[in-house]
């Protein structure tokens, strides 16, 4: 599917290895009043289709955000349709010690470390891609950020990423007293009659 660059609703897709902070970042950015958070993991092609549907529905927000924590789910789109789209990608990476410590706590075995999208091998590949996109071959619509920098210096790294995308900064997006914890399936505190709030 070719995506019209003049599409006014800007899709933001978060990618990275599992347990690198993709859910946290999606949730935080989704707290912005200008961002519609799909609050789910979604493949990028379906995310684009959903964004186009929302565009036709004239939703109030100017941005829509989704995520899938693996570069492999974005790579095919990057190689084919990315340049004809207006999608922005946020690529997240994290200290591997904490990534695999977190995975071990969740899965209680080492199987995931040696196969599939959660493996050491996949993390090494994503780390190389992250380095390339951050330093060697950057793209104005691929924004690279380390998990460790989310909360440093009054969120300056996230502010810069959002500024480059065009999302207005709002200090309230980090105030969890004003938002339901969407990481556990809760809903954003918007108008409960809004069908896009789920």
């Amino acid at each position: 599917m070719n995506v019209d660059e003049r599409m006014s609703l800007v899709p933001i897709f978060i990618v990275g290895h599992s347990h690198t902070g993709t859910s946290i970042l999606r949730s935080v950015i989704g707290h912005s009043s200008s961002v519609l958070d799909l609050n789910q993991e979604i493949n990028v092609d379906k995310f684009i289709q959903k964004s186009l549907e929302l565009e036709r529905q004239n939703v109030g927000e100017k941005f829509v955000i989704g995520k899938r924590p693996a570069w492999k789910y974005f790579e095919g789109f990057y190689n084919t349709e990315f340049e004809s789209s207006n999608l922005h990608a946020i690529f997240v990476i994290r200290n591997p010690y904490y990534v695999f410590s977190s995975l071990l706590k969740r899965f209680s075995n080492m199987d995931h470390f040696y196969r599939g999208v959660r493996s050491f091998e996949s993390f090494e590949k994503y780390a190389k891609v992250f380095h390339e996109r951050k330093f060697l071959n950057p793209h104005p619509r691929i924004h690279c950020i380390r998990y460790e920098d989310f909360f440093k210096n009054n969120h300056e790294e996230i502010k810069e990423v959002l500024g480059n995308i065009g999302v207005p900064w709002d200090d309230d997006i980090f105030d969890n007293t004003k938002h339901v914890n969407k990481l556990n399936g809760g809903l954003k505190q918007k108008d409960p009659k809004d069908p896009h709030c789920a």
Side-chain angles (χ1 to χ4, degrees):
M1 175 187 300
N2 237 1
V3 183
D4 192 335
E5 289 182 348
R6 294 169 295 177
M7 180 179 173
S8 61
L9 183 66
V10 177
I12 304 168
F13 194 68
I14 300 177
V15 294
H17 192 276
S18 298
H19 289 229
T20 55
T22 55
S23 293
I24 292 172
L25 186 59
R26 191 218 77 237
S27 180
V28 165
I29 296 174
H31 287 158
S32 170
S33 59
S34 62
V35 177
L36 174 59
D37 182 3
L38 295 187
N39 192 20
Q40 65 184 106
E41 289 195 357
I42 186 169
N43 289 344
V44 69
D45 56 339
K46 292 182 179 179
F47 176 61
I48 290 295
Q49 291 173 3
K50 181 66 174 177
S51 299
L52 289 168
E53 291 171 12
L54 293 168
E55 168 81 352
R56 289 190 287 269
Q57 294 170 22
N58 292 316
V59 294
E61 295 86 349
K62 296 181 179 178
F63 304 87
V64 60
I65 194 164
K67 70 108 178 179
R68 189 70 189 259
W71 177 265
K72 70 174 289 185
Y73 293 112
F74 176 72
E75 191 170 30
F77 179 81
Y78 174 77
N79 291 331
T80 56
E81 300 173 73
F82 181 72
E83 290 301 332
S84 64
S85 78
N86 67 335
L87 180 141
H88 284 259
I90 303 178
F91 192 1
V92 183
I93 202 164
R94 186 182 185 188
N95 183 317
Y97 174 83
Y98 296 107
V99 170
F100 291 102
S101 295
S102 177
L103 283 168
L104 184 59
K105 285 179 183 177
R106 179 170 181 181
F107 294 106
S108 302
N109 63 61
M110 297 288 287
D111 290 349
H112 291 274
F113 294 7
Y114 298 109
R115 58 182 173 81
V117 296
R118 301 186 181 99
S119 68
F120 294 122
E121 182 181 5
S122 67
F123 185 91
E124 183 179 23
K125 176 184 177 182
Y126 299 153
K128 290 177 180 177
V129 175
F130 182 93
H131 183 266
E132 179 184 355
R133 297 299 167 199
K134 178 77 172 176
F135 302 108
L136 304 180
N137 187 23
H139 190 287
R141 287 189 288 111
I142 299 179
H143 313 276
C144 299
I145 185 170
R146 298 187 316 143
Y147 173 88
E148 290 79 11
D149 294 332
F150 283 7
F151 306 101
K152 285 176 60 177
N153 301 321
N154 194 28
H155 318 302
E156 286 301 323
E157 291 279 348
I158 293 180
K159 288 179 182 178
E160 181 178 357
V161 167
L162 294 184
N164 290 335
I165 297 172
V167 178
W169 177 256
D170 181 352
D171 285 322
D172 286 343
I173 68 174
F174 277 98
D175 185 353
N176 284 329
T177 64
K178 297 185 178 183
H179 306 281
V180 175
N181 182 355
K182 292 180 291 178
L183 297 180
N184 293 325
L187 303 181
K188 180 187 290 190
Q189 289 185 337
K190 288 189 175 181
D191 181 353
K193 296 178 183 177
D194 181 356
H196 308 302
C197 205

